[in-house]
Amino acid sequence: SEDFTVSCYLNKALSETSNADEEEDILTELALQLQVQTQACHDEIGRYMVEVSAMIPRLQADVGRIGLGLNGMKEDAMSLIGRDSASYDGKEGSSSIDLVEATDDQTDELETLSALSALSENLQAVRSILEAASSWDGTVTLMNDLLGSVQPTTTEHAASLAEAVDALTKLEYGAEALSGTPGSEDRQIAISEFRTKIEVLLKPMLLNALKLQSAGNAVRVVGPLQQCVSMYKSLNKLDALKDEYVKARPAAIHKLWFAFSPPGKAHPISEDVSMEGKPTFVEWLPTWFDSCLNLLAEEKRRSTAVFGAEESPKVTAKVLRECFRPLLSSFTARLMSSANSNSATFSLDIISTTYKATLAFLSLAHDQVLGAGLEMIVDIFSVVASPFVPIIQDLVKREVEHSYADFARLENATKKTEEIFATSSSIQKTVDHLSLLCADIFPLAKGSLARFEVFNCGCKAAATIANIDSRIGNHIAELSFAISTLSLSMTNEVNKAADKFDEQDVQGALELLKMAGLFVNDLQSFGVYTQERLRSLLAGLDASITLEREGAPDSLSTGEVGVLIARKTFREDSEVHSADLNGMCSVGPNHFHKENFPVSYQAGQKLASACRMFVFDLCYAVPRKWLASMSTLPEWTEKDDGNTDIMSSYSILPQSYITHVGEHILALVQALEPFASVESSLTLSKEAMQNMNSVAIEPWRELASLIGCVQGEDDDVIDFLMEGKSLPDFVTISDFEEDEDEEDMDESHRFCNEWLGVISSAVTGRILERMLKIQALSTKGRNHLVTDINYIENVFSALGVSGHPHPLLGHFSTILTLNTDDLNDVLSKRSDLGYRGKMDGALVSAEIRIAKMRNVTL
């Protein structure tokens, strides 16, 4: 019955029993019957197997004959089809009905052939099953004999294993043919056990072959390894063999690595700690790289003989990786030790030198692994360069560590500037000191940029450029502060600065303008240089992206290897880095430093301002001293002698304070001319002489505040007042016109006039401000003041500087010379006409202030 089950049968048989003893007897009887039936089945199966074994040769012969017959029939049918088609095509008057009948006949023939072909395939499948079934037990027995008798140390080891591998292949083929028959799982278990035993026995043979090839002649020792390759390939375990092969190949390279000991450390074998003749790690590394290249060249030839030309590049590439993989931690330790060996600070130059040597090695190694595929090559290159990856990823931080000592040295030297200035007999030594400090920054910046090219190859450019900008800007800001401190000391110790004044000091101070101009030019040149380098890096980055899309090239330069490693390290879209570089490179060359070094550019402007102010404070030291007490001189209140005739004032000589100022200004011409006679000095100084009036603005600001024409710091109004513009109509400015020949003036003359102009402007503003602070003027004091003003006007006229003497000097001198009635008439007319603006009212207030000094009743 189709519904029969063992459980139902047993339940049915036991349902009629009444106690446990009967059930046990019945089960015992059933067990005996089952044993008997099982033995009978085994005997029957054995008999059938004997009959089948006897039939297999006959069936095999029959299948062979049928196959030959079918092939012959197929060829005959094809020839008949071709001949019939040709005959139908050539017959004249053949009807379509005849053609259809012929086609139907051909279709029947094709169906017959198809059936015969299927029969052939089925018979071949039967043949395979029968052959596998008949040979299985014999092959298993052979496998047991081969694997049981072979010892790894015998000479028959290789031959027996090769025969065992062939037998295993036959078993696997038979198991596949018998996959649908009973016992499939047992066959797979047996195959798995045999495979494991073979692999265990093959391992010593493989290791021995690898040992032979590392010690002996390459040609002689390749044979055993090729045998292993053949057997592992048959076992479909060639990858495992390659792994063992790759691990064994660089043994000599690893030994050479660990045999090295840096100077000052004990050799691992001899324990020699002497320094003499020992190379440093950086010096020794290229020789080790040469050994690696020799190994790779040999490996390329050997792997071609062992694995074939197609697999050789990949195997060689894996050997390259294995040369470094176990050594990476040691490589990193030695690298960091070398970077910190020569000083207390971190040396990025040593690591940069080592990295360049590594890139050069990888460029040469690429020739040996060409054909392994660009992706695999880049992965291996990244493994080799992994000790440098922390530097590449955090280059800005490492740059700060590297340059700490250099910038600390610059900072300490900058702090000594004030000490040098105070102890030196001349300013020139201080200026030379500052000039050297200013020039020292750009070699450091170029070194940082060069290391960026080596490590990052254009990636993360914005961060590196910002760091360079910050370091330059901070250093120049410190120089500016130092110079400003010197200026402040001259201002605070005005008497000392005036007493020490020397014309040679002016020429030395002017060298600061040259220094500031040189910095501006150097910053612009460095910007042009940086942009050129970034453009080169951009081209390399774009070429690397194209290279990755097109596939592996025939060769890789050192720079191309560096770009591949940098892009692999950051694992970002390379187009982002290209966009950053494009943005920087799109700026005009003359504006690059302004756009990409904004901190440095602003620091340069402040440096120029500090240098201008230093030169001004030095040149203005004498006027500052003598004009400081002008408003409190006792001569202003000197008693009158009773002579009110204005002509008597011509017998009064200028006072000493104003003659010191006038003689100093005239002497400045000779102090300025030697520097101005050098064309190169003028060219550089011109860069630092923008907005010259700003250095002389302080006296005018105080004057403007005093007369009430400004509140706070309204620089535009102050500039108008300084330049004599927008003055009221009652102020005569006919003598204050611009010199028509100024445009034709040579650069030397123009330079001197600019400085004489700002000094004269500051003197004028201070004289006017001090004059309005005089509390009272006697008639004799008024004559003294008029004489002093006329003297300084004559000095300014003698200089021939455009814009001097200032119109307010002559105007206030006129107000001082008016008698009481005329002064009242003038002030009354001012009141009647009214004031057009704040400037008019402020100057009228100044006139009233002068009238009150004279004790005139208004």
Side-chain angles (χ1 to χ4, degrees), residues 750-795:
R750 191 189 305 276
F751 175 83
C752 293
N753 277 8
E754 281 192 73
W755 277 109
L756 293 172
V758 295
I759 300 299
S760 299
S761 179
V763 169
T764 300
R766 185 58 68 197
I767 289 174
L768 294 175
E769 184 265 338
R770 292 301 179 189
M771 181 182 68
L772 293 178
K773 284 187 175 182
I774 297 174
Q775 297 299 316
L777 278 173
S778 64
T779 300
K780 194 169 184 179
R782 179 164 55 92
N783 291 336
H784 275 299
L785 184 56
V786 171
T787 300
D788 295 344
I789 293 175
N790 291 337
Y791 170 78
I792 202 66
E793 283 187 303
N794 291 333
V795 170

Side-chain angles (χ1 to χ4, degrees), residues 143 146 160-170 198 202 230-232 234-235:
M143 285 288 293
L146 290 172
S160 298
L161 280 179
E163 188 177 353
V165 170
D166 292 338
L168 180 62
T169 304
K170 185 176 181 180
I198 291 175
L202 268 177
S230 176
M231 286 185 281
Y232 270 90
S234 298
L235 294 172

Side-chain angles (χ1 to χ4, degrees), residues 249-446:
R249 287 297 285 134
I253 295 295
H254 295 164
K255 183 178 180 181
L256 185 62
W257 173 273
F258 289 109
F260 168 76
S261 62
K265 290 190 177 182
H267 191 279
I269 300 175
S270 65
E271 298 184 357
D272 179 17
V273 296
S274 64
M275 299 283 289
E276 184 177 357
K278 282 189 175 182
T280 63
F281 174 69
V282 178
E283 295 169 341
W284 170 83
L285 187 61
T287 62
W288 186 77
F289 282 154
D290 290 340
S291 300
C292 292
L293 289 173
N294 292 334
L295 172 67
L296 293 177
E298 178 190 349
E299 177 55 38
K300 186 177 181 180
R301 294 189 298 270
R302 182 169 297 184
S303 59
T304 301
V306 175
F307 299 103
E310 185 177 352
E311 290 296 319
S312 175
K314 295 179 181 179
V315 174
T316 306
K318 290 180 180 180
V319 170
L320 170 60
R321 177 169 53 194
E322 191 63 23
C323 286
F324 287 84
R325 186 190 59 79
L327 309 177
L328 293 177
S329 59
S330 175
F331 197 127
T332 303
R334 290 183 179 181
L335 187 65
M336 293 300 117
S337 177
S338 299
N340 293 282
S341 61
N342 296 328
S343 63
T345 58
F346 181 77
S347 175
L348 203 56
D349 285 332
I350 292 178
I351 296 181
S352 176
T353 301
T354 308
Y355 188 53
K356 285 189 283 189
T358 304
L359 294 179
F361 161 73
L362 292 176
S363 176
L364 296 174
H366 174 264
D367 298 338
Q368 307 299 333
V369 298
L370 186 63
L374 184 61
E375 184 177 358
M376 182 180 184
I377 291 173
V378 172
D379 288 340
I380 293 174
F381 283 3
S382 298
V383 171
V384 175
S386 58
F388 303 93
V389 167
I391 306 295
I392 298 173
Q393 290 177 331
D394 207 1
L395 182 61
V396 172
K397 180 181 177 182
R398 296 296 188 171
E399 278 289 347
V400 173
E401 295 174 1
H402 168 78
S403 59
Y404 175 81
D406 291 324
F407 280 95
R409 172 181 57 82
L410 294 177
E411 184 179 357
N412 292 332
T414 303
K415 290 178 180 179
K416 293 181 180 179
T417 303
E418 190 172 357
E419 178 184 347
I420 296 173
F421 179 73
T423 57
S424 299
S425 58
S426 68
I427 290 178
Q428 187 62 48
K429 188 173 182 180
T430 304
V431 172
D432 292 342
H433 176 71
L434 290 170
S435 298
L436 289 175
L437 292 177
C438 187
D440 279 351
I441 188 62
F442 286 106
L444 297 178
K446 284 188 175 181

Side-chain angles (χ1 to χ4, degrees), residues 593-650:
H593 64 294
K594 297 179 182 179
E595 296 288 337
N596 294 286
F597 296 125
V599 177
S600 302
Y601 178 75
Q602 292 299 324
Q605 299 304 306
K606 292 180 180 179
L607 176 66
S609 177
C611 293
R612 289 195 302 268
M613 185 57 69
F614 181 82
V615 175
F616 170 79
D617 286 333
L618 178 65
C619 295
Y620 187 63
V622 173
R624 179 181 280 116
K625 171 188 175 181
W626 291 104
L627 294 176
S629 59
M630 174 185 167
S631 58
T632 59
L633 291 175
E635 284 78 5
W636 307 139
T637 57
E638 188 177 345
K639 291 183 180 180
D640 298 334
D641 55 7
N643 186 2
T644 59
D645 185 3
I646 192 64
M647 295 300 294
S648 63
S649 64
Y650 290 111

